[in-house]
Amino acid sequence: MTARAADRARYDRATAHLDAPLAIVDLDAFDANADDLVRRAAGKPIRVASKSVRCRALLERVLARDGFAGIMSFTLAESLWLARSGFDDILLAYPSADRAGFAELTGDPKLAGAVTVLIDDPAQLRLIDDARDGGREVVRVCLELDTSLKLLGGRIRVGARRSPLRTATQVADLARLVARRPGFEVVGIMAYEGHIAGVGDSVAGHPLRSRAVRLMQATARRELAVRRAEVVRALRAVAPELAFVNGGGTGSVQHTAAEDCVTEIGAGSGLYVPRLFDNYTSFRGRPAALFAQPVVRRPGVGVVTVLGGGYPASGAAGPDRLPVPYLPEGLRYDPQEGPGEVQTPLLGSPADDLLIGDKVWFRHAKAGELCERFEQLHLVEGDTVTATVPTYRGEGHTFL
């Protein structure tokens, strides 16, 4: 029996009393992945990206482990909810235009002390001030640095289009503006190098592309390490009490941690290890989050149909954004249909061994987005479901 076949047997036994569709998290794999992130971070704390987890119980579990400290959130409403729930170190990693949220933040000392908001433009400060509605609490501010790699004088750009702040001068100038504005304090800087941390460099069947990605990433790491150090030096001259310098992501933990100026690493997808994180030379994780769909039809030899399953992930549309049939091994989509909203045909010889009601296990393309489809996660240890916990959706929240 292969390791994957053994996992399938465990998951089927653990969930035999449950009807699919359902989602699980294998806690043995989850904890092993957490240990690997800590190992790669080499002593620097990991701030957990909540958008990649979207389950309070699992955020609590990982933050109770040595090597993890703080949350990197994705909306202001989520940040305030987490702060009210007892989390006390939350970095909102994206700018917000949530005026009601800012009114709440600036009017509550507990919330203002727990949540740091991200800015990269003076207009965002004005929006916050306009939203205060009498709130006088000091807003903790994090600046974001553009990490993209620019080549040929800027004619070629590699990396996400995020912050307009690229140089040490631009960052220091904005920090001075914040310092002169009552009610705000610069406490950190963040730089997410998605083109390094979030792009696989060993794609099966594409050796030339993989080599080109590795070359790009090596060049980008060198450029960013020099520029980030310059930016942090300039920022500390303006804000000498800077609390943190956040960088990295699951795919670049050890490289970012090696930069002296970086004080903490942001990561989250490496806990669940969705399918997009299979193609890395820098680490190997264990798939921890899966979902099961029930077999509801057997249209013919070598074919079964499962209920639903069309759960595409965000990003540029393409086959890599689709879930992948995982267990039993050897199933594949019908290229004329793909994964459907209501039904999904699956082809391959393993289909002939599946009966009506059997479970087919899938892996989602991206981590936390799976939780937008399910209200509960069944936590599996060995071959037993030891707990069932709500996702954000299960607690009545879809923040974005």
Side-chain angles (χ1 to χ4, degrees):
M1 181 181 290
T2 67
R4 279 175 59 176
D7 283 341
R8 180 195 174 200
R10 287 197 301 114
Y11 300 150
D12 282 348
R13 286 196 299 270
T15 62
H17 62 297
L18 299 171
D19 288 334
L22 59 83
I24 66 167
V25 170
D26 183 334
L27 289 181
D28 294 334
F30 181 90
D31 291 343
N33 293 335
D35 288 341
D36 187 62
L37 287 169
V38 171
R39 177 189 62 80
R40 291 196 287 136
K44 293 188 176 177
I46 297 169
R47 185 180 291 274
V48 184
S50 62
K51 78 178 184 66
S52 299
V53 179
R54 302 193 203 200
C55 170
R56 280 200 302 165
L58 290 175
L59 288 173
E60 291 168 352
R61 182 183 184 91
V62 72
L63 286 170
R65 303 174 69 89
D66 290 341
F68 291 86
I71 289 175
M72 178 182 288
S73 60
F74 61 99
T75 74
L76 182 55
E78 179 213 14
S79 305
L80 300 176
W81 177 64
L82 290 173
R84 289 192 297 268
S85 301
F87 297 94
D88 60 3
D89 181 6
I90 303 158
L91 166 61
L92 174 56
Y94 303 86
S96 177
D98 180 354
R99 291 176 172 83
F102 283 127
E104 187 175 355
L105 177 72
T106 58
D108 187 319
K110 177 184 175 182
L111 298 179
V115 177
T116 299
V117 304
L118 185 136
I119 70 160
D120 54 34
D121 188 310
Q124 294 153 352
L125 298 174
R126 294 193 291 272
L127 185 147
I128 295 171
D129 267 342
D130 289 345
R132 282 182 180 269
D133 192 28
R136 297 179 178 275
E137 297 299 323
V138 172
V139 176
R140 295 166 53 86
V141 166
C142 173
L143 309 183
E144 182 172 13
L145 176 68
D146 171 36
T147 66
S148 63
L149 174 65
K150 292 187 177 181
L151 303 170
L152 299 179
R155 291 191 293 276
I156 296 178
R157 172 196 177 100
V158 182
R161 297 182 183 275
R162 292 175 64 113
S163 172
L165 304 177
R166 183 168 182 83
T167 67
T169 298
Q170 289 172 322
V171 170
D173 285 348
L174 182 55
R176 290 189 190 94
L177 190 153
V178 175
R180 292 195 298 266
R181 195 177 188 106
F184 295 92
E185 178 188 10
V186 175
V187 299
I189 184 167
M190 184 190 108
Y192 171 59
E193 52 266 37
H195 52 302
I196 304 171
V199 177
D201 64 349
S202 181
V203 182
H206 298 277
L208 295 180
R209 175 185 168 190
S210 298
R211 189 178 305 170
V213 169
R214 289 194 291 273
L215 177 61
M216 176 276 292
Q217 290 179 338
T219 302
R221 284 197 300 269
R222 289 192 296 269
E223 185 275 337
L224 180 58
V226 171
R227 184 158 54 89
R228 180 155 40 199
E230 293 173 351
V231 166
V232 171
R233 282 195 297 271
L235 180 56
R236 288 194 181 280
V238 179
E241 301 302 317
L242 200 69
F244 63 85
V245 176
N246 180 283
T250 288
S252 68
V253 170
Q254 65 270 40
H255 300 298
T256 309
E259 296 182 35
D260 290 339
C261 70
V262 173
T263 66
E264 63 176 41
I265 308 299
S269 295
L271 296 168
Y272 287 168
V273 186
R275 63 166 295 199
L276 281 178
F277 286 83
D278 287 346
N279 305 317
Y280 286 79
T281 57
S282 61
F283 79 103
R284 287 287 183 272
R286 291 173 55 183
L290 301 94
F291 67 94
Q293 304 295 116
V295 174
V296 292
R297 286 178 172 168
R298 293 172 50 88
V301 175
V303 186
V304 292
T305 301
V306 299
L307 182 70
Y311 304 156
S314 61
D320 65 338
R321 301 291 147 166
L322 300 179
V324 61
Y326 184 60
L327 301 170
E329 298 180 68
L331 293 174
R332 64 187 186 279
Y333 293 125
D334 182 337
Q336 296 185 61
E337 293 195 47
E341 177 188 11
V342 179
Q343 70 163 35
T344 297
L346 297 171
L347 312 180
S349 58
D352 294 328
D353 297 322
L354 290 168
L355 305 176
I356 300 295
D358 283 353
K359 296 180 177 77
V360 175
W361 296 89
F362 294 77
R363 293 172 65 202
H364 201 260
K366 295 182 75 172
E369 292 183 19
L370 171 64
C371 294
E372 298 299 330
R373 300 285 182 169
F374 292 90
E375 294 185 349
Q376 298 176 324
L377 296 174
H378 301 285
L379 307 185
V380 174
E381 296 183 75
D383 60 359
T384 304
V385 171
T386 56
T388 297
V389 296
T391 61
Y392 280 12
R393 174 178 170 175
E395 295 200 68
H397 297 288
T398 52
F399 290 109
L400 199 59

